[in-house]
Amino acid sequence: MANKRSLKHAINLICEELFAEAVAASLYGNNPKAGNADDVLTSIIRLQTDYISRISHVEPGMEARKYFRVLRDAFTKEADEIIDQINNL
């Protein structure tokens, strides 16, 4: 982890790309289902706000390095789940 600012920047960039891909998939996909696309877009926004807010407040009693490693792994896992949802649109 370089610093909190670079981690926030990386999360924002990833979420922006996910959002753009979800919009493109919903507009140009074969089966446009408005409900599914809206759910995916909402989950991307929630993912971004949740992890950005968690960066600023390290969990008490936990070593910072371990906390950010767990945070990064959890973000990656949730982002992969959203990518699978986008592929199914």
Side-chain angles (χ1 to χ4, degrees):
M1 179 192 87
N3 60 23
K4 291 179 183 180
R5 183 183 302 162
S6 64
L7 187 57
K8 285 181 182 181
H9 184 69
I11 287 174
N12 281 327
L13 286 176
I14 291 168
C15 289
E16 286 174 12
E17 290 295 323
L18 288 174
F19 196 86
E21 288 295 323
V23 168
S26 69
L27 290 176
Y28 302 116
N30 294 335
N31 302 344
K33 298 175 186 170
N36 291 342
D38 290 343
D39 292 341
V40 171
L41 295 174
T42 303
S43 66
I44 293 169
I45 293 171
R46 284 185 184 152
L47 177 76
Q48 181 179 13
T49 57
D50 180 42
Y51 281 93
I52 293 296
S53 66
R54 287 173 58 186
I55 289 172
S56 298
H57 306 289
V58 178
E59 192 171 310
M62 188 177 215
E63 181 184 345
R65 177 170 283 194
K66 182 179 178 183
Y67 175 76
F68 287 113
R69 187 177 310 126
V70 169
L71 184 81
R72 189 175 56 232
D73 292 341
F75 176 78
T76 303
K77 181 182 173 193
E78 287 188 40
D80 288 341
E81 290 173 3
I82 290 175
I83 289 170
D84 291 338
Q85 291 175 357
I86 293 171
N87 289 334
N88 292 331
L89 284 181

